[in-house]
Amino acid sequence: WFVTEVELNQVSSYMRGRLTLEKVNTVLNELAGFAEANNRLMASLKQSGARMSGADRKRATELLHTVAMRDGVRGRFWFLESELRDGVSIKADKSGKALLTLLRHLRRMDEVRIQIEGTCTLVHVLTSSS
């Protein structure tokens, strides 16, 4: 998952800006945590849906049927753009958008647009380093 010093230095300075390797990897780790939380929630629904709270069961069912089974997302680690609001090291501001652009450029992340109940939702899919 993590970005190396060499990879970060190969990125154009206008794209890298003032981002440090530590900041990029901290954000990447947090995004992987969002993806892991979604994965755990859906796995617990499949294993023991009866023991989940009503809100968790509803969210897991919604994620499983509307997002997780779509092409481009199935079988991969992903998180929704709406989950960025809960982030500590990444926010939905200009620096956060610059970080996401950098991660897409480094091929650590892809974007998939999905129609959910008539609205276009952005799903970020984490990819492993090549």
Side-chain angles (χ1 to χ4, degrees):
W1 297 111
F2 294 111
V3 176
T4 64
E5 184 86 33
V6 173
E7 288 174 311
L8 189 62
N9 289 334
Q10 289 176 348
V11 175
S12 300
S13 62
Y14 78 89
M15 188 178 290
R16 188 175 57 237
R18 296 181 181 183
L19 296 175
T20 64
L21 182 65
E22 181 183 354
K23 174 75 172 169
V24 172
N25 284 331
T26 300
V27 166
L28 198 52
N29 197 32
E30 184 174 348
L31 298 179
F34 291 152
E36 182 63 32
N38 284 339
N39 204 8
R40 264 188 272 123
L41 187 64
M42 290 183 298
S44 64
L45 175 71
K46 290 176 184 177
Q47 291 175 355
S48 59
R51 288 186 246 150
M52 296 175 71
S53 71
D56 285 345
R57 186 179 314 113
K58 181 179 178 184
R59 173 138 171 90
T61 303
E62 187 178 284
L63 290 175
L64 184 64
H65 295 296
T66 59
V67 179
M69 294 300 162
R70 299 289 178 99
D71 290 334
V73 178
R74 184 180 303 126
R76 298 169 75 187
F77 285 100
W78 54 270
F79 61 94
L80 300 174
E81 186 173 35
S82 59
E83 294 171 344
L84 290 178
R85 283 184 251 132
D86 302 332
V88 174
S89 34
I90 186 167
K91 298 288 181 193
D93 58 1
K94 286 201 179 257
S95 64
K97 300 285 184 187
L99 267 163
L100 294 177
T101 301
L102 179 72
L103 291 174
R104 279 194 309 271
H105 180 78
L106 291 172
R107 314 293 276 147
R108 293 301 195 278
M109 189 171 67
D110 291 328
E111 287 183 352
V112 177
R113 296 187 188 280
I114 294 178
Q115 289 283 95
I116 299 175
E117 297 175 2
T119 3
C120 188
T121 302
L122 191 60
V123 178
H124 297 284
V125 180
L126 297 175
T127 57
S128 58
S129 59
S130 335

